[in-house]
Amino acid sequence: MSARQPLAPWQQRIHDHAADALDAGRLGHGLLFCGPAQLGKRAVAERLAERVLCLQRSAGEGPCGRCRSCHLLAQRHQRDPVETRPDGQLAHPLGHSGHPDLVLVGHVLNEKGRPPKMRSEIVIEQVRNLSEKLALTTQYGGAQVVIIDPADAVNHAACNALLKTLEEPVPGRYLWLVSGNPARLPATIRSRCQRLEFRLPPREESLQWLQAQGHDSGDALEALEAAHGHPGQADAWLRNEGMGLRRQVGTDLDAIAQGTRTPLETAQRWTADEHAALRLRHAADLAVARAAERLTDPARTRSLAAWFDQANRTCELLRTTVRADLAVLELLMAWRSGAARSEARSRPDGAG
Ligand SMILES: [Zn+2]
């Protein structure tokens, strides 16, 4: 999200709370922005960075928008980072923030790979580089901010280096960690950071925000329910094919149950592109929704619960070398036989 866009209401609340605490000197130099992905943790961190880096900010006010620092950061948003990780998250190589005193640490390209691939971990060289940078005087004589995102990708050796930096705070130097999985961070790191916790906003606020993003109110409602109240996820599913994919998965499951589509054909189609895992996630979710509609049939409810587990296990298998089409075929055959048993039970003669 570019800083030129307004923050969402839930982001604005966290931003304002943190800004007040920063102004009052109640925040230390280590901050942990945590909570579910796609709620805008990074956007809030970058907005706060603009605030502390501004060179002419009046007390209690936001960034001035006129000083050298504000100008540089505004330019940066006009040429947003272009590198993208395979999972769609933006990646910022070290130090490419466009501002000498804002250091962004994230996934970088491993140049040694053939072909070069994104590293899955943040490695010690990246953390050493930033420690060296923090030890120098700032280029603009103001504050200095380091944002590490995703902090849970920092590997073991790099964590130890990071800990050293956290243990030796320097006034005006900020080290901010962004993480969707803070439990993966060592306790020693977590305990040295103050937490800014992002939570799912109230439903009404999410719906209003989704409509402000240009989504039809019916679509917004459907997507928000599918995303279990997560507005960022709902927005992403409405922008990419996520919701269309979900409807197709529901249609396929019904067609398999009715015998109008085969598990084999469906498994091949579900695994023919890069959306197999998302289809299984939707399928597992739809099984739970179907179970809620079938509370009068405890056997079916139990079999749907078992199928939900199987769908999640199959999703895990997709990350291994197991052939995806065969794993999904097995899952869809289980769906067909579960539906057939339920059908047999519901016949008037009570067979099954
Ligand atoms: Zn400024």
Side-chain angles (χ1 to χ4, degrees):
M1 179 178 291
S2 137
R4 299 304 117 209
Q5 287 176 297
L7 291 176
W10 66 89
Q11 295 165 354
Q12 192 70 50
R13 275 196 299 277
I14 294 197
H15 171 276
D16 293 351
H17 165 76
D20 287 348
L22 273 169
D23 289 358
R26 280 184 280 117
L27 283 187
H29 87 144
L31 269 189
L32 178 56
F33 295 74
C34 50
Q38 292 181 302
L39 280 183
K41 299 186 291 294
R42 172 64 170 269
V44 171
E46 294 197 4
R47 195 63 69 91
L48 286 168
E50 285 183 30
R51 185 181 181 89
V52 302
L53 291 172
C54 173
L55 301 166
Q56 289 165 17
R57 199 169 65 83
S58 316
E61 303 269 312
C64 72
R66 293 180 304 274
C67 71
R68 271 193 304 170
S69 173
C70 286
H71 270 303
L72 264 191
L73 289 171
Q75 278 168 23
R76 155 183 151 65
H77 289 288
Q78 285 156 16
R79 43 165 184 76
D80 253 349
V82 286
E83 281 178 70
T84 309
R85 283 172 58 204
D87 61 5
Q89 271 188 289
L90 286 174
H92 298 261
L94 177 67
H96 282 211
S97 77
H99 188 298
D101 295 323
L102 173 61
V103 183
L104 301 168
V105 183
H107 288 288
V108 291
L109 212 56
N110 183 0
E111 307 281 358
K112 289 179 203 145
R114 288 285 171 269
K117 270 172 52 179
M118 278 296 180
R119 281 188 202 270
S120 60
E121 294 185 324
I122 292 172
V123 295
I124 190 155
E125 292 78 32
Q126 291 174 271
V127 174
R128 278 209 192 108
N129 286 344
L130 83 88
S131 306
E132 280 166 21
K133 206 165 184 315
L134 282 177
L136 303 170
T137 37
T138 71
Q139 297 270 331
Y140 282 7
Q144 201 170 37
V145 179
V146 174
I147 298 176
I148 304 185
D149 178 22
D152 39 87
V154 176
N155 74 14
H156 181 74
C159 267
N160 287 333
L162 189 60
L163 195 56
K164 273 205 176 138
T165 309
L166 277 168
E167 279 169 340
E168 295 158 9
V170 180
R173 305 289 205 277
Y174 300 92
L175 183 53
W176 294 344
L177 310 181
V178 178
S179 174
N181 288 298
R184 282 202 213 152
L185 287 166
T188 45
I189 298 250
R190 271 181 283 145
S191 67
R192 280 169 180 79
C193 295
Q194 280 165 284
R195 286 170 89 106
L196 283 182
E197 198 93 43
F198 284 65
R199 295 195 176 84
L200 296 186
R203 185 166 173 277
E204 212 38 54
E205 183 175 298
S206 298
L207 283 174
Q208 276 174 15
W209 178 78
L210 283 168
Q211 288 176 48
Q213 307 310 301
H215 303 305
D216 166 84
S217 64
D219 291 347
L221 190 63
E222 186 193 2
L224 190 64
E225 264 163 29
H228 299 282
H230 189 316
Q233 178 70 85
D235 180 53
W237 280 347
L238 287 167
R239 284 175 197 277
N240 58 35
E241 281 119 81
M243 287 310 290
L245 218 58
R246 185 182 177 91
R247 286 185 206 112
Q248 185 61 51
V249 164
T251 307
D252 287 342
L253 289 177
D254 289 341
I256 290 171
Q258 289 153 12
T260 54
R261 214 163 268 172
T262 67
L264 180 63
E265 176 271 323
T266 310
Q268 284 168 347
R269 193 158 35 81
W270 280 18
T271 53
D273 58 24
E274 71 278 19
H275 299 307
L278 182 55
R279 283 194 185 89
L280 292 187
R281 190 177 153 189
H282 283 313
D285 207 46
L286 288 168
V288 173
R290 302 284 163 87
E293 292 161 8
R294 299 293 290 275
L295 294 175
T296 52
D297 181 356
R300 181 62 179 146
T301 308
R302 274 197 301 279
S303 95
L304 283 167
W307 195 83
F308 169 82
D309 289 339
Q310 191 181 349
N312 286 325
R313 282 197 304 274
T314 308
C315 203
E316 295 288 314
L317 280 178
L318 295 184
R319 291 191 217 153
T320 68
T321 52
V322 166
R323 261 183 62 183
D325 58 337
L326 296 183
V328 173
L329 173 61
E330 197 179 326
L331 178 71
L332 294 180
M333 284 167 64
W335 177 263
R336 183 172 65 183
S337 49
R341 280 196 303 274
S342 165
E343 174 66 19
R345 272 193 306 277
S346 66
R347 270 186 219 126
D349 58 10

